Amino acid sequence: MDYVVLVKDIVKDLTEDEFDVVSNDNNITITVSENDYGKVIGKGGATINAIRVLVDEAATLHNDSFIKVEVEKKD
């Protein structure tokens, strides 16, 4: 399964500005503008935690190893 595509599909509906999603081994990093950072994190981290749960469940269904999802602001 392509977890980057899954994350991109979720994040595109949350953001207004351009963003990037890259994968390195078992890590996915979402890079968003400062304007969209709070939208992706969500109140108390609820949104990013929900994204992590979805990716983790998809990985479990496909017998893949744990995938870490992080979000950072563009420079």
Side-chain angles (χ1 to χ4, degrees):
M1 172 162 204
D2 192 347
Y3 303 105
V4 171
V5 172
L6 173 64
V7 172
K8 280 183 179 181
D9 284 344
I10 296 167
V11 173
K12 75 178 178 185
D13 292 330
L14 300 172
T15 59
E16 294 177 17
D17 301 328
E18 288 188 34
F19 64 92
D20 194 25
V21 179
V22 295
S23 176
N24 183 6
D25 296 323
N26 288 345
N27 297 315
I28 294 176
T29 303
I30 307 165
T31 307
V32 295
S33 69
E34 189 170 337
N35 181 47
D36 289 331
Y37 186 75
K39 296 173 188 173
V40 175
I41 296 295
K43 188 173 184 176
T47 304
I48 191 63
N49 286 335
I51 293 169
R52 289 174 178 144
V53 167
L54 289 171
V55 170
D56 186 50
E57 289 298 319
T60 299
L61 286 173
H62 291 90
N63 295 318
D64 290 334
S65 58
F66 176 79
I67 298 172
K68 183 177 179 182
V69 180
E70 298 177 338
V71 61
E72 60 185 32
K73 294 179 193 176
K74 286 184 184 177
D75 293 332

